[in-house]
Amino acid sequence: MTQPSRLRALMSAGLVQAPGCFDGLSARLIEQAGFKAVYASGGAISRGAGIPDLGLLSVNEMADRMAQIADAVDVPVIADADTGYGNALNARRAARQFARAGVAAIHLEDQTFPKKCGHYDDKAIVSREAFAQKIRAVKDAVGDDLVLIARTDALAVEGFDAAIDRCEAYAEAGAEVIFFEAPQTVQQIEDAARLISAPLLLNMFAGGKTPVVPLARLQELGIAIVIVPSDLQRAAIFAMQETLRAIAEDGDSGRLQDRMVTFKDRETIIGTDDWNELNRRFAE
């Protein structure tokens, strides 16, 4: 079964929760924790490069990272493809690169290029028809080789009714899943789930503009996918700051050893023994 087919099967079986990763290691941790899908967060990948989520990384940089993530896990990877990195032709080329990288799905958004994080203020969006054409162009390029997810940021710019209209237009243009970004109330989530005919993806994390709704309630609403984009990275940043503080104050991180994985556990996580066995197997 291909990865897009596996993701479709998961969605058919119920709600898919996909925590966000930003490299191969964080992707492996998500898989090892038992999650059935991984979300490759463009914002987290950008911050991992030391820059904000403002569309500053190139399509090649993003596709290379997606390939590393997809290679690190067996579960489907849902990839953030921003705006497609330009017009419809750029988006077609980006979609093909991401498909070759091995991801199961991509989402494109209707912001102007370069984009902003969906929970930033002062976003700008392209016309509904321009983005529908971009969806058609990408669908024509990749067919069913990717699960195509269309994200709209129109709620913050044009209001709820216009955002719903866009979602329906994007589904008609060929999007398989709709990403309704940054609803600000539970009522908006419930109304979107009722009004949008296509399967729905929500971005839900503590501290964002969207209220965190229990998974059981989202399952009742028929939500297909919930992504949690940046929690792992935020936790990692905090842990690194704490460790650096200990090293600066004590000269080493000894006081935090009970909050770290061991050397052996680290190697188990990344599969060192498996690689060594392969090396023995194929040695001269």
Side-chain angles (χ1 to χ4, degrees):
M1 185 181 290
T2 66
Q3 292 291 34
S5 296
R6 292 178 69 182
L7 181 58
R8 292 183 182 106
L10 286 171
M11 287 191 292
S12 296
L15 176 66
V16 179
Q17 187 181 35
C21 69
F22 48 96
D23 58 13
L25 175 59
S26 52
R28 286 180 70 90
L29 290 171
I30 293 168
E31 181 181 42
Q32 290 171 7
F35 291 93
K36 302 302 183 183
V38 167
Y39 176 61
S41 165
I45 291 169
S46 293
R47 289 184 291 271
I51 54 178
D53 184 16
L54 295 172
L56 298 171
L57 291 180
S58 71
V59 61
N60 290 336
E61 290 173 299
M62 291 297 292
D64 286 347
R65 180 54 60 90
M66 296 302 174
Q68 293 171 0
I69 290 169
D71 189 56
V73 295
D74 292 325
V75 297
V77 176
I78 302 166
D80 183 351
D82 291 335
T83 64
Y85 310 95
N87 64 17
L89 298 183
N90 299 118
R92 281 174 62 94
R93 183 169 181 268
R96 285 176 169 168
Q97 284 184 263
F98 278 43
R100 290 193 298 270
V103 303
I106 63 168
H107 70 73
L108 299 169
E109 61 201 66
D110 58 5
Q111 287 194 52
T112 56
F113 177 80
K115 52 74 59 84
K116 290 183 176 180
C117 168
H119 289 246
Y120 289 172
D121 294 324
D122 302 320
K123 295 179 290 185
I125 56 178
V126 300
S127 73
R128 183 175 70 180
E129 183 54 29
F131 191 66
Q133 283 290 78
K134 184 177 287 188
I135 293 169
R136 294 184 187 104
V138 170
K139 188 66 175 178
D140 178 70
V142 300
D144 293 331
D145 292 341
L146 288 174
V147 176
L148 179 56
I149 303 169
R151 166 179 148 177
T152 184
D153 287 72
L155 178 61
V157 181
E158 297 179 339
F160 183 83
D161 291 341
I164 295 297
D165 289 343
R166 280 178 176 258
C167 292
E168 290 302 294
Y170 299 165
E172 290 175 8
E176 194 169 336
V177 177
I178 296 298
F179 182 168
F180 193 70
E181 175 65 312
Q184 297 188 30
T185 66
V186 174
Q187 189 64 56
Q188 286 182 341
I189 294 171
E190 293 175 346
D191 288 345
R194 176 173 52 86
L195 294 169
I196 297 171
S197 57
L200 199 60
L201 181 153
L202 292 177
N203 173 9
M204 195 163 288
F205 60 94
K209 291 187 175 182
T210 300
V212 176
V213 178
L215 290 182
R217 176 56 180 152
L218 296 176
Q219 181 87 40
E220 291 174 357
L221 293 171
I223 303 302
I225 302 172
V226 173
I227 58 172
V228 190
S230 61
D231 283 16
L232 284 188
Q233 188 173 60
R234 291 165 62 191
I237 290 169
F238 179 80
M240 286 189 284
Q241 287 176 328
E242 290 290 290
T243 304
L244 289 167
R245 186 175 296 112
I247 293 171
E249 293 174 356
D250 304 340
D252 59 58
S253 61
R255 73 189 194 203
L256 298 176
Q257 287 303 298
D258 62 342
R259 294 167 61 184
M260 295 180 175
V261 298
T262 65
F263 182 96
K264 181 179 179 181
D265 288 344
R266 184 192 65 188
E267 299 307 303
T268 299
I269 288 167
I270 61 172
T272 301
D273 286 346
D274 296 332
W275 284 96
N276 286 334
E277 177 57 32
L278 283 172
N279 187 44
R280 286 189 291 269
R281 178 181 172 188
F282 295 110
E284 293 182 4

